[in-house]
Amino acid sequence: MKKISLYVHIPFCKKKCLYCDFVSFENDHKNIAPYFSALYKEIKAYKTILYEEYTIDTVFIGGGTPNFVEVEYIEKLMKVIFDTFEVDVNAEISMEVNPCCRSGREDFIRYKKAGINRLSIGLQSASDDMLKQIGRQHSLLDFENTFQAAREAGFANINIDLIFGFYNQDINEFRESVRYVIQTGCEHVSCYSLKVEEDTPLYEQYMDEGIDIGDADYEDRQMYSLACQMLEHYGYKQYELSNYAKEGYECRHNLNYWDTKEYIGFGLAAHSYKDNARFYNTSDMEEYLQEIDTNNSAIEDIEQLDKAKQEEEFIIMALRKADGIEYGEFKRRFGEDFLIKYSKEVNYLSESELLIVDSSNAYLSAEGKNFANITMMEFISK
Amino acid sequence: MADIQNRIRNFSIIAHIDHGKSTLADRLIEATGLISQRDMVNQILDTMELERERGITIKLQTVRLTYRAKDGCEYYLNLIDTPGHVDFTYEVSRSLAACEGAVLVVDASQGVEAQTMANVYLALENNLEIVPVLNKIDLPSAEPERVLKEIEEVIGLDTENTPLVSAKEGKNIEDVLEAVVTRIPAPKGDASSPLKALIFDSYYDSYRGVIVSIRVVDGQVKAKDRIKMMATGKCFEVDEVGLFLNGLHPTNTLCAGEVGYLTASIKNIGDTAVGDTVTHEKNAAVTPLPGYKKVNSMVYCGIYPIDGARYDDLKDALGKLNLNDASLLYQPETSAVLGFGFRCGFLGLLHMEIIQQRLEREFKLDIVATVPSVVYHVILTDGTMIDVDNPTNMPAAVRIDYMEEPIASATMMLPVEYVGSIMELCQSRRGIYLGMHYMDETRVVLDYELPLNEIIYDFFDALKSRTKGYASLDYQIKNYRKSDLVKLDILLNGEIVDALSFIVHKEKAYERGRKIAEKLKNEIPRQMFEIPIQAAIGGKIIARETVKAMRKDVLSKCYGGDISRKRKLLEKQKEGKKKMRQIGKVQVPQEAFLSVLKLDE
């Protein structure tokens, strides 16, 4: 049987953070019940498509803030998934949580019982000042309680999210945040360099204040390199541009994306990749509810990838990983020798010291990680 | 013969840009039934896409209309279209020389404009009968009485019985045709004299060679005749003569007074110079028709393919454009930063812009154009004089005794409230005030002497923006004058970018250098290293800016929902990179080259 991953989007949260551009709604209580009904329906309708051909290898419940909604909805969601598909006994089942919402010991016991075995907790910063500045709805203490409760409920695989690169952010403050995360003993750290997206309040704020975020990039890279060093020192190996894990705790679900393997996304704006086609659901709540009601499906667009595009995606996603492109895997997938086919690009990039080429893999150098887009672009044929 | 001439009228339509010349021409063609309304694409005389878009005529078109007038006779009306811009003044004057009269179209709300005046003067120089016509009388803002009064006072034309038309709505078109028949004199050539025919246009046809538009002044011409071009001295045997109906229509003979075409297997359009006189090889006319002059390029720039591999495509494209446009000059040149390209000469700025746009649109070429230059006279210490149209060729300062630059006399027409602002603009462009007079209570005509190199640096845009678009400009080269000029270089990352060098008056150099450095700073994207931008005269740096280094270009977060967006972003980034020109280590976008011309005053 083939393996596939599932993503489930929960587009609700207490309050949107100033930098967030994800599809999510603040305090949208009236849509929660209809949304979950639709979601269950959408998942069940997939039974015949995956049945007897696929086992579910990983599940990721993301948002939004999945612990913003009543625990029952998540319990029911997991039941629907288990009833509908064949879920591998060793499946990795993750859920995102934020310390602002349902995060007591009892809640976590219920999540655990429902089948969830990995948590990803949004901390972002260990400084209360910073948390306030970027619009987070919790304090460091709230996080501490959340983390504690999760451990007590038996979660042995926990990720903590950090974010850095805000304009005028103090590198000492960031160092303290990294140190704090390390001392929690969590298994996994995601550490993101801020991207100021248009249509976010933060973008507006920066525009109003005449801030060129490019001017913060020097500090941003200092923080990036600091995070790598500290985390590596304490046993968190960087296995992707923004992700670090203790040995054996790499996120299988996300690795699945970077390995350009198949996944199905359920819920508002969720993306899927199956049979060499990328497709995604509508981002409009009303439309989603209505489409699922009438068609069991809310797909907005499908893009069928030809061989060249599959290859491009394989390369750009693989380059995100510390291991980069493995020539053997490339040959298995595309029947060609990577180093021969891309000799020109590879030579140029290794001369520019952006790419490191060894006998089995090609991967980004430290400088290449700072300029990953410029490096990846060379492999785009268009 | 005289009888036939009596029934011919040769005329042009002259107008300020946008006053509706082409639309009126369309209506005349329709009204005489040459082409039915149904078959007519709007404005058939403007055949190029670019012309239609800009509402101006670049290439001449001529058409013969047959009209039965109210007196019961049938008349042959040769409508000779004229190009609609100041760059093509010479072509306009030759077209007018082929006529006995001109229909002057004036917008009933806009009134008389700078170009109206310039065209009227050209028509008067050619002794044409001018028939004024008021157009756009359907517009609510139309003030026919005021504008008629203006025509009488400003131009001094009798406006009694002036047709009031709406070309757009096809109103009173018949009045125009009647006025052409009754007011424009018939040609008075002598069909038995030796042949004298004026070339007023030509274009290249890949099957028949050059198709030459002529006005037979005296004598007659037919197929098999051996003819001679009096200015170029080239001889040919005529293959065919004919009339411009709906397309080319062969006839046996073209006689004195008639307008038509001839073909003679002519391969090179340069052999059929506009303004030249066609005569017979034997029994030739003694003197040519007056007014021929060789047209010189006024503005030069370098044109380079963004992708160096497309040099040959660019060469082919320029060759094809040149087949129909002898005034476009081009010769290969090499730039240290841009590689292989061409130095091109143009009649003026508009001509330059049109060629650049046609290269991009019709030939799908991505090009970089260098800063345009006028032709300077450089007088060396040994007393010899050289022409410099490319700053790169400017001799070392020690070898130069002095320099001269072309001076234009410029006429601007504008609403009175902007006079102060425009005088200030002209002053800042080293203009010398010549005079000013009122056209009416609201509008004035300003006369200035302006160095041509000031006009080509964005003068027209500055004029328009300072007058909310109401000013019009006309200029003519007057003479060359001694001037204190220096070569300003731009350095990127310490290297001189030859394509950005230009010659400028010494007093303006500091300010312009500073502005360009500032502009470039905003146009050049951050790159993986810091890029100093410097402006320099000789070895002396007069301005400096820095493009800060980019420290990162990475998407930190990339999960299932981000992958296709990510690929598309990279595709876009790659597209963008392809459109940039590599100068040393620096990627420079095409816009950076243009920005040097647009100084936003």
Side-chain angles (χ1 to χ4, degrees):
Chain A
M1 288 234 275
K2 289 192 268 183
K3 288 178 174 179
I4 198 162
S5 293
L6 303 183
Y7 174 80
V8 186
H9 191 63
I10 311 298
F12 301 103
C13 53
K14 191 168 168 188
K15 182 116 183 57
K16 286 198 79 165
C17 305
L18 297 180
Y19 52 84
C20 170
D21 77 329
F22 287 118
V23 178
S24 186
F25 304 95
E26 291 178 10
N27 280 316
D28 185 13
H29 294 285
K30 72 170 195 319
N31 269 327
I32 293 176
Y35 181 77
F36 276 90
S37 305
L39 190 58
Y40 303 150
K41 195 163 177 240
E42 189 190 10
I43 294 170
K44 285 177 190 163
Y46 241 86
K47 185 183 175 96
T48 51
I49 299 170
L50 299 185
Y51 191 66
E52 286 189 340
E53 236 191 293
Y54 288 90
T55 56
I56 307 304
D57 189 41
T58 72
V59 179
F60 197 101
I61 303 169
T65 301
N67 62 325
F68 174 75
V69 300
E70 305 278 340
V71 182
E72 286 79 14
Y73 289 113
I74 303 297
E75 288 172 331
K76 175 84 187 287
L77 171 67
M78 288 314 301
K79 185 169 180 332
V80 170
I81 289 173
F82 282 117
D83 289 351
T84 309
F85 306 116
E86 185 161 334
V87 181
D88 191 279
V89 280
N90 293 316
E92 174 196 273
I93 302 176
S94 308
M95 185 170 93
E96 289 184 328
V97 296
N98 280 312
C100 57
C101 303
R102 279 157 242 289
S103 46
R105 192 165 156 245
E106 292 310 308
D107 300 317
F108 283 121
I109 288 172
R110 288 172 69 186
Y111 290 137
K112 183 111 206 307
K113 212 171 152 206
I116 289 156
N117 54 30
R118 182 175 180 273
L119 290 177
S120 175
I121 310 180
L123 168 61
Q124 317 310 354
S125 167
S127 145
D128 280 337
D129 280 350
M130 194 71 190
L131 290 172
K132 209 175 242 168
Q133 259 183 55
I134 62 177
R136 300 287 297 175
Q137 300 299 305
H138 61 86
S139 64
L140 179 62
L141 184 63
D142 293 332
F143 170 84
E144 234 168 280
N145 294 335
T146 302
F147 188 85
Q148 184 70 23
R151 281 296 198 219
E152 282 170 19
F155 280 97
N157 186 356
I158 299 180
N159 166 62
I160 298 177
D161 274 356
L162 278 180
I163 191 163
F164 62 88
F166 292 93
Y167 192 79
N168 270 346
Q169 186 180 4
D170 179 10
I171 192 159
N172 294 316
E173 177 268 303
F174 179 67
R175 182 185 291 111
E176 283 314 304
S177 292
V178 178
R179 187 171 291 161
Y180 175 83
V181 167
I182 289 168
Q183 64 77 37
T184 63
C186 65
E187 286 68 34
H188 188 285
V189 181
S190 296
C191 195
Y192 300 110
S193 162
L194 173 72
K195 170 118 201 310
V196 184
E197 301 281 0
E198 284 178 37
D199 302 324
T200 60
L202 189 71
Y203 180 82
E204 299 297 322
Q205 187 189 320
Y206 280 7
M207 290 299 274
D208 287 350
E209 293 170 21
I211 292 170
D212 179 354
I213 189 66
D215 290 342
D217 285 350
Y218 177 72
E219 287 76 14
D220 176 284
R221 289 299 98 182
Q222 281 193 313
M223 292 184 221
Y224 182 66
S225 128
L226 179 75
C228 290
Q229 284 171 32
M230 288 173 71
L231 288 165
E232 293 264 352
H233 182 79
Y234 286 95
Y236 297 89
K237 191 176 169 299
Q238 183 180 26
Y239 70 101
E240 193 259 358
L241 285 174
S242 306
N243 285 280
Y244 308 80
K246 288 184 175 167
E247 206 183 328
Y249 286 95
E250 294 83 6
C251 178
R252 281 159 51 196
H253 183 86
N254 289 338
L255 273 169
N256 193 66
Y257 294 138
W258 303 320
D259 289 335
T260 47
K261 291 181 177 165
E262 295 186 317
Y263 57 94
I264 303 295
F266 296 110
L268 197 64
H271 286 239
S272 305
Y273 182 52
K274 188 172 176 290
D275 301 328
N276 300 319
R278 297 211 176 272
F279 47 100
Y280 59 93
N281 284 346
T282 171
S283 312
D284 182 305
M285 179 64 95
E286 296 308 315
E287 198 177 310
Y288 174 78
L289 296 178
Q290 206 178 343
E291 287 290 310
I292 296 295
D293 189 46
T294 51
N295 303 324
N296 286 329
S297 165
I299 294 172
E300 184 170 292
D301 203 8
I302 302 177
E303 185 190 12
Q304 190 70 47
L305 303 185
D306 59 21
K307 191 108 188 278
K309 288 204 163 70
Q310 290 169 35
E311 200 170 303
E312 283 176 9
E313 288 193 352
F314 174 84
I315 294 171
I316 61 181
M317 295 313 282
L319 283 175
R320 298 191 65 84
K321 297 182 295 174
D323 293 343
I325 296 152
E326 205 233 307
Y327 313 143
E329 177 66 14
F330 186 86
K331 178 131 198 190
R332 265 192 295 287
R333 287 221 199 179
F334 303 104
E336 287 184 82
D337 285 313
F338 176 76
L339 289 180
I340 293 170
K341 179 157 188 194
Y342 292 99
S343 60
K344 196 173 133 232
E345 291 79 5
V346 167
N347 282 339
Y348 166 70
L349 290 169
S350 52
E351 270 168 34
S352 313
E353 299 185 347
L354 294 169
L355 193 71
I356 296 172
V357 181
D358 69 21
S359 57
S360 59
N361 295 62
Y363 50 94
L364 296 180
S365 67
E367 188 71 340
K369 286 174 187 169
N370 294 336
F371 297 103
N373 289 345
I374 287 172
T375 311
M376 291 167 179
M377 188 176 77
E378 290 302 320
F379 297 100
I380 300 284
S381 61
K382 225 175 144 184
Chain B
M1 266 321 157
D3 190 33
I4 285 186
Q5 280 201 66
N6 280 340
R7 293 195 285 128
I8 295 175
R9 298 291 181 273
N10 297 316
F11 73 106
S12 280
I13 306 178
I14 56 179
H16 184 71
I17 193 165
D18 277 347
H19 280 197
K21 187 178 82 170
S22 298
T23 319
L24 178 62
D26 288 353
R27 292 297 162 267
L28 297 179
I29 292 166
E30 241 173 63
T32 54
L34 180 63
I35 301 174
S36 74
Q37 192 165 5
R38 217 172 18 146
D39 298 338
M40 188 131 162
V41 183
N42 265 343
Q43 302 187 356
I44 62 149
L45 291 186
D46 288 354
T47 45
M48 278 194 284
E49 179 199 1
L50 204 60
E51 292 183 326
R52 232 171 269 159
E53 201 174 291
R54 293 182 156 224
I56 53 168
T57 313
I58 300 159
K59 208 54 207 154
L60 300 172
Q61 302 281 319
T62 295
V63 64
R64 182 167 102 148
L65 313 171
T66 307
Y67 172 63
R68 187 169 290 280
K70 285 181 182 158
D71 64 7
C73 289
E74 207 163 63
Y75 289 89
Y76 302 116
L77 315 182
N78 289 306
L79 165 53
I80 298 172
D81 200 16
T82 58
H85 190 271
V86 53
D87 286 0
F88 304 100
T89 304
Y90 178 66
E91 277 78 354
V92 175
S93 83
R94 292 307 87 200
S95 300
L96 295 180
C99 302
E100 277 75 37
V103 168
L104 172 69
V105 181
V106 181
D107 185 315
S109 46
Q110 307 264 321
V112 175
E113 300 272 6
Q115 260 186 310
T116 318
M117 301 291 290
N119 284 320
V120 166
Y121 292 140
L122 277 176
L124 291 174
E125 276 169 29
N126 286 289
N127 298 316
L128 302 195
E129 177 69 28
I130 298 174
V131 178
V133 169
L134 281 201
N135 190 21
K136 306 195 188 182
I137 54 157
D138 55 307
L139 293 181
S141 56
E143 295 177 86
E145 273 165 34
R146 178 183 69 77
V147 174
L148 283 175
K149 189 164 157 256
E150 193 175 270
I151 293 173
E152 289 196 1
E153 286 175 358
V154 177
I155 310 179
L157 290 176
D158 179 10
T159 58
E160 211 181 328
N161 302 324
T162 292
L164 305 180
V165 311
S166 163
K168 197 172 134 217
E169 296 181 352
K171 213 161 156 185
N172 300 338
I173 300 303
E174 192 89 7
D175 293 355
V176 180
L177 292 165
E178 277 300 318
V180 167
V181 168
T182 55
R183 296 177 56 181
I184 294 177
K188 293 186 183 66
D190 181 355
S192 55
S193 294
L195 173 66
K196 272 190 196 178
L198 173 71
I199 301 177
F200 61 87
D201 188 25
S202 54
Y203 70 92
Y204 186 80
D205 178 284
S206 38
Y207 299 105
R208 302 201 261 185
V210 179
I211 299 191
V212 190
S213 302
I214 51 169
R215 156 69 197 274
V216 182
V217 177
D218 288 322
Q220 42 192 300
V221 62
K222 57 184 190 305
K224 306 283 185 224
D225 284 359
R226 292 285 302 172
I227 52 165
K228 180 178 163 188
M229 310 298 176
M230 293 183 80
T232 62
K234 295 279 168 70
C235 294
F236 301 95
E237 184 180 304
V238 176
D239 295 330
E240 180 181 307
V241 298
L243 302 169
F244 297 104
L245 298 178
N246 187 5
L248 302 179
H249 186 84
T251 53
N252 292 327
T253 319
L254 284 178
C255 285
E258 286 189 300
V259 168
Y261 68 89
L262 67 80
T263 63
S265 304
I266 303 168
K267 295 289 166 235
N268 182 358
I269 202 158
D271 293 340
T272 58
V274 167
D276 199 353
T277 303
V278 184
T279 190
H280 283 119
E281 198 174 0
K282 288 175 185 160
N283 190 24
V286 181
T287 50
L289 296 163
Y292 171 79
K293 66 177 183 190
K294 197 171 176 314
V295 183
N296 293 317
S297 297
M298 297 313 302
V299 177
Y300 285 81
C301 80
I303 293 183
Y304 293 81
I306 290 225
D307 176 0
R310 298 201 65 192
Y311 173 82
D312 285 333
D313 295 339
L314 176 60
K315 185 175 167 188
D316 289 349
L318 286 167
K320 280 182 184 148
L321 289 174
N322 185 243
L323 281 178
N324 275 324
D325 182 357
S327 55
L328 165 66
L329 301 182
Y330 67 104
Q331 57 183 44
E333 79 168 0
T334 317
S335 151
V337 298
L338 298 176
F340 295 103
F342 294 91
R343 192 74 188 164
C344 300
F346 308 94
L347 296 175
L349 266 192
L350 179 93
H351 189 212
M352 179 179 86
E353 248 178 71
I354 287 165
I355 296 294
Q356 289 175 4
Q357 288 191 14
R358 290 185 70 185
L359 288 172
E360 292 189 329
R361 289 197 200 176
E362 290 169 34
F363 298 94
K364 308 272 177 266
L365 287 161
D366 287 324
I367 56 165
V368 175
T370 65
V371 181
S373 173
V374 302
V375 182
Y376 297 96
H377 291 168
V378 180
I379 293 84
L380 302 174
T381 45
D382 65 6
T384 55
M385 186 188 93
I386 54 171
D387 282 350
V388 171
D389 63 59
N390 183 348
T392 315
N393 299 337
M394 192 152 137
V398 288
R399 289 186 55 212
I400 300 174
D401 183 7
Y402 64 95
M403 286 176 72
E404 291 179 343
E405 65 176 328
I407 305 292
S409 67
T411 303
M412 288 150 280
M413 195 167 293
L414 48 131
V416 67
E417 63 263 39
Y418 302 118
V419 165
S421 164
I422 296 309
M423 288 179 81
E424 194 183 85
L425 172 68
C426 291
Q427 233 70 277
S428 78
R429 297 303 188 98
R430 300 190 283 131
I432 295 172
Y433 174 82
L434 294 181
M436 175 172 98
H437 64 270
Y438 281 79
M439 296 218 7
D440 52 37
E441 302 85 66
T442 58
R443 283 182 315 155
V444 297
V445 177
L446 266 179
D447 289 314
Y448 265 89
E449 259 181 25
L450 282 164
L452 186 61
N453 87 354
E454 298 286 346
I455 295 179
I456 67 173
Y457 290 124
D458 211 23
F459 181 79
F460 193 60
D461 285 350
L463 181 71
K464 284 284 178 192
S465 74
R466 284 183 183 220
T467 58
K468 300 197 166 70
Y470 282 112
S472 51
L473 164 74
D474 193 68
Y475 67 86
Q476 274 186 319
I477 302 306
K478 201 171 168 186
N479 55 21
Y480 270 77
R481 194 170 296 164
K482 196 171 167 181
S483 181
D484 200 358
L485 299 160
V486 292
K487 180 176 162 224
L488 184 68
D489 291 316
I490 302 293
L491 291 84
L492 273 188
N493 211 20
E495 278 180 62
I496 291 184
V497 182
D498 57 7
L500 292 177
S501 297
F502 56 96
I503 293 167
V504 62
H505 193 262
K506 200 172 179 183
E507 277 170 24
K508 312 286 296 271
Y510 173 77
E511 188 200 349
R512 198 159 279 156
R514 190 178 50 78
K515 275 189 179 162
I516 289 175
E518 227 170 72
K519 271 265 177 180
L520 282 171
K521 181 192 165 189
N522 295 326
E523 291 289 347
I524 297 175
R526 288 189 187 212
Q527 292 169 38
M528 288 163 69
F529 45 89
E530 190 176 274
I531 306 164
I533 301 169
Q534 294 157 310
I537 299 172
K540 192 179 161 219
I541 305 294
I542 57 164
R544 185 194 158 105
E545 293 280 346
T546 305
V547 179
K548 285 189 234 169
M550 171 176 66
R551 303 285 180 180
K552 68 162 182 175
D553 184 6
V554 52
L555 185 70
S556 181
K557 232 177 195 171
C558 189
Y559 298 113
D562 308 309
I563 301 173
S564 34
R565 188 167 65 131
K566 171 76 189 167
R567 176 168 42 78
K568 280 166 193 152
L569 281 174
L570 289 173
E571 280 169 8
K572 221 172 127 189
Q573 197 169 349
K574 179 116 182 186
E575 262 316 285
K577 188 189 163 183
K578 274 191 190 165
K579 295 211 160 181
M580 297 219 229
R581 192 75 210 207
Q582 181 105 18
I583 295 182
K585 278 163 71 194
V586 186
Q587 306 277 342
V588 182
Q590 213 176 350
E591 295 76 40
F593 293 93
L594 292 177
S595 73
V596 176
L597 304 176
K598 305 278 177 196
L599 295 179
D600 296 337
E601 303 215 14

